[in-house]
Amino acid sequence: MPKRSPQPSQPNSAPTGSTRALGVVRLSTLTEVTTSPGRQRAAIQRCAERLDLALIAEAADLGVSARRTSPFERPSLSPWLQRPGEYDAIVWSHVDRAVRSVVHMSQLIEWGQKHATTLVFGMPEEDQPLVVAPQAGGGAIRRCMDLAYAAEQEARAISARLTSAHEALRATGRYGGGLVPFGYQKAPHPSGVGWCLAPDPETTDIVRMIVEDVHSGLSLVAIARKLEAAGIPVPRDRHAQLQGRPMGGRRHGRDFERFRWRASSLSKVLRTPALMGHRVHRGKTVCDAEGSPVLIGPPLLTEQEFQALQDVLDARSNGIHPKRRETSLLIGVAYCTGCSGRMYFAARKAYAYGDYVCRASARGTTCPAPAAIRADWLDDYTVGRYREAFATDGEVTREQLLRDGVRVTVTKGRSGGGPDRLVGPDTSRLALTIGGALPDQLRP
């Protein structure tokens, strides 16, 4: 998980030049014994002194892969790239600390030209840093692209070697890194070489409690809320705790101090064969040459217990599901009154129709009055009001609704009610505007 700094860090040395520069440090994997960040900072300082730059701050992304994330997606650097007026140059210790992709280098150079920012790459193997000014000629740009291509090829070779190494680890039942399955923790392999998994004393009982709750009839949503109320960390946060790192991180462009339990994350915990101690790859049990499961740790559930759990989960997932539409008619049109957030289509088990529902929990927030309504009812209501306002009988598409600024808000309904509530929507819960005006106001 990336190591984040809420405030831009300041350089250790005082600025010496007149050109403001931002130093950037990046490391894919952070360990307690690595010296790379210190060596990068020393190289950046040498570049600054040679070019008479004043280092005003540092953006450090430790534990961030350049192969998987562009400079514009990194937690520490990205906010700085959105404020280009605060500095005149950016300094990296080497090209591969900035990018490992030709595409990302092209985007970075284009950004530098647009914002009149000089890009500086320290070149330890050469006498001079590589400087790409906003008005740099083709030679400097070609040099950058060549180095980015070499870094990209090197990253692919490293990835291929790691893939081969992980295949060998899977075959021998050794833990090769990555997210530790919930209920386990890393432990030395009995052979004395490498690692395996052992039950995590703090979460093993939680796994069994979850399984018991499933058998008792509780829904995954109810169990997720129960875990949230108890303050139990999700698998990703528990893994961070075991690694001595802070919980939380970035998801969907937002930073979270800790992640929330959801039915989907809970389902992943309950569906993985890792609960039986199996080595798992892409959700499937890894088998040896004889077809037997490769074991990576003691089982938390026996095969019989695991299969009984899957039978219960499978039974719950059966039923009639409405045909999913590629894009529901009112996505971006229907909003929840409680939180002003978008409503999304959700299938309803055992029914031939679905609902539009508030998805505040999926955004990591809480809605004080989450709304829900039958999708076909809301579709018909919205289309009907739209046709009345524009005096048309033609087909109404989502594109038309968005183009004309149609917005329908839904207020949370009351529980209970009689047979009348099955006839159609309670229109007192609905409010529709077109371009900010009520439909009646549009009529001549």
Side-chain angles (χ1 to χ4, degrees):
M1 182 184 300
K3 204 170 185 180
R4 302 178 308 285
S5 175
Q7 298 294 332
S9 56
Q10 301 299 323
N12 293 327
S13 60
T16 59
S18 58
T19 302
R20 301 168 302 168
L22 171 69
V24 181
V25 176
R26 186 200 61 78
L27 186 64
S28 295
T29 304
L30 180 64
T31 65
E32 295 180 357
V33 297
T34 184
T35 59
S36 178
R39 287 183 282 113
Q40 290 183 49
R41 292 184 177 104
I44 290 171
Q45 184 65 41
R46 288 194 297 270
C47 286
E49 293 173 354
R50 176 166 290 189
L51 300 175
D52 195 28
L53 303 176
L55 290 173
I56 62 167
E58 176 188 282
D61 287 305
L62 305 180
V64 178
S65 168
R67 184 168 179 262
R68 294 188 178 91
T69 60
S70 79
F72 304 93
E73 299 169 329
R74 297 171 195 165
S76 184
L77 177 57
S78 177
W80 280 104
L81 295 180
Q82 297 172 24
R83 308 192 305 273
E86 298 182 15
Y87 48 90
D88 308 300
I90 305 179
V91 187
W92 289 269
S93 64
H94 199 277
V95 168
D96 60 10
R97 294 304 164 188
V99 298
R100 281 191 178 271
S101 162
V102 172
V103 172
H104 294 167
M105 176 60 82
S106 177
Q107 293 171 344
L108 195 58
I109 292 174
E110 183 179 354
W111 177 90
Q113 293 172 338
K114 179 179 178 181
H115 297 286
T117 303
T118 299
L119 309 179
V120 180
F121 306 98
M123 304 295 291
E125 67 276 12
E126 299 181 8
D127 294 334
Q128 291 288 337
L130 175 57
V131 179
V132 184
Q135 300 81 21
I141 293 177
R142 281 194 297 273
R143 176 67 172 146
C144 278
M145 300 303 285
D146 289 343
L147 290 170
Y149 177 78
E152 183 174 329
Q153 295 302 107
E154 181 184 21
R156 289 179 177 174
I158 292 173
S159 177
R161 290 197 296 271
L162 288 175
T163 299
S164 177
H166 279 286
E167 288 177 353
L169 289 173
R170 286 195 294 271
T172 57
R174 287 187 173 87
Y175 168 69
L179 184 65
V180 175
F182 194 70
Y184 287 94
Q185 62 183 359
K186 189 173 71 170
H189 195 273
S191 67
V193 179
W195 303 89
C196 65
L197 297 181
D200 175 10
E202 293 192 23
T203 56
T204 299
D205 291 340
I206 295 172
V207 171
R208 289 207 161 272
M209 179 196 73
I210 294 171
V211 173
E212 291 174 1
D213 284 343
V214 171
H215 284 296
S216 71
L218 280 182
S219 69
L220 295 188
V221 172
I223 298 173
R225 290 173 179 167
K226 182 178 177 181
L227 295 172
E228 275 295 305
I232 296 170
V234 300
R236 182 171 167 181
D237 283 343
R238 178 56 184 163
H239 179 71
Q241 285 182 332
L242 292 172
Q243 296 294 314
R245 300 198 305 264
M247 296 191 297
R250 176 164 288 241
R251 176 180 286 167
H252 306 309
R254 297 180 57 197
D255 288 323
F256 296 89
E257 292 185 1
R258 61 182 295 273
F259 293 110
R260 297 171 60 89
W261 280 99
R262 293 183 292 182
S264 57
S265 57
L266 189 55
S267 178
K268 291 178 181 178
V269 171
L270 299 174
R271 290 289 193 178
T272 176
L275 293 175
M276 298 182 287
H278 292 186
R279 183 68 168 96
V280 177
H281 181 56
R282 294 183 178 177
K284 304 294 183 182
T285 295
V286 177
C287 297
D288 58 22
E290 299 178 356
S292 300
V294 174
L295 299 180
I296 196 172
L300 302 184
L301 300 179
T302 65
E303 291 187 15
Q304 293 76 15
E305 290 172 329
F306 182 77
Q307 189 56 54
L309 175 63
Q310 304 313 302
D311 290 343
V312 173
L313 295 174
D314 289 341
R316 292 184 181 182
S317 65
N318 291 336
I320 303 172
H321 297 274
K323 182 179 180 181
R324 287 191 176 273
R325 294 165 282 186
E326 291 185 3
T327 302
S328 297
L329 179 66
L330 301 185
I331 299 301
V333 177
Y335 286 80
C336 171
T337 303
C339 62
S340 300
R342 285 186 179 186
M343 299 181 72
Y344 291 89
F345 180 81
R348 181 185 282 218
K349 293 180 180 179
Y351 289 87
Y353 58 85
D355 300 305
Y356 286 110
V357 298
C358 173
R359 293 296 303 275
S361 60
R363 298 190 296 271
T365 59
T366 301
C367 177
I373 190 171
R374 270 184 57 163
D376 54 347
W377 287 354
L378 192 59
D379 286 347
D380 291 344
Y381 169 83
T382 305
V383 170
R385 296 297 304 278
Y386 179 88
R387 284 175 174 163
E388 289 178 7
F390 288 92
T392 178
D393 293 327
E395 180 186 3
V396 177
T397 66
R398 177 171 175 265
E399 288 70 24
Q400 286 177 280
L401 297 174
L402 294 173
R403 180 197 64 200
D404 292 325
V406 176
R407 182 184 178 107
V408 57
T409 56
V410 184
T411 302
K412 181 179 180 180
R414 292 178 289 111
S415 60
D420 291 344
R421 70 185 183 87
L422 302 177
V423 176
D426 176 5
T427 56
S428 66
R429 299 171 50 204
L430 310 178
L432 185 138
T433 57
I434 300 176
L438 297 173
D440 294 340
Q441 298 171 335
L442 301 176
R443 294 173 185 156

